[in-house]
Amino acid sequence: MSWNEEWAAAATCKQSRPDELFVRGAEQHKAKVVCAGCPVRAECLAEALDNRIEWGVWGGMTERERRAVLRKRPNVTSWRALLAAAKEAHLGTSSVTA
């Protein structure tokens, strides 16, 4: 499976109500379950990291988790490129372009 440019249309959460994904505390764990089997989890996470989205669960990560990732890798200029390359390596394909 290659990088999905139209990832939002394929997202598992598109069937959910937005208020189920933009929650606080323990409710975030329930929201992350929605992401667990999503086919476009990496694309969603890249969107949140590249755009510094500060609220909600995106790509299976809470805002706190995303902030931690951003602090650990402050020099990444394109999370989309990084995650696309990782997805390509994991899947053993060469059809992904960043």
Side-chain angles (χ1 to χ4, degrees), residues 28-97:
Q28 290 178 328
H29 297 293
K30 290 179 186 175
K32 289 169 64 171
V33 170
V34 174
C35 303
C38 185
V40 291
R41 185 175 176 178
E43 291 86 340
C44 179
L45 180 57
E47 177 80 13
L49 292 170
D50 280 340
N51 294 298
R52 306 299 196 262
I53 297 173
E54 296 182 8
W55 184 246
V57 173
W58 290 73
M61 296 183 92
T62 66
E63 57 269 16
R64 176 181 272 174
E65 292 166 332
R66 292 192 308 274
R67 281 193 304 270
V69 167
L70 292 168
R71 277 193 305 273
K72 285 182 183 179
R73 307 274 311 258
N75 297 325
V76 174
T77 57
S78 172
W79 286 94
R80 182 212 181 276
L82 182 71
L83 293 176
K87 186 175 184 180
E88 176 182 342
H90 176 73
L91 297 174
T93 63
S94 59
S95 61
V96 178
T97 57

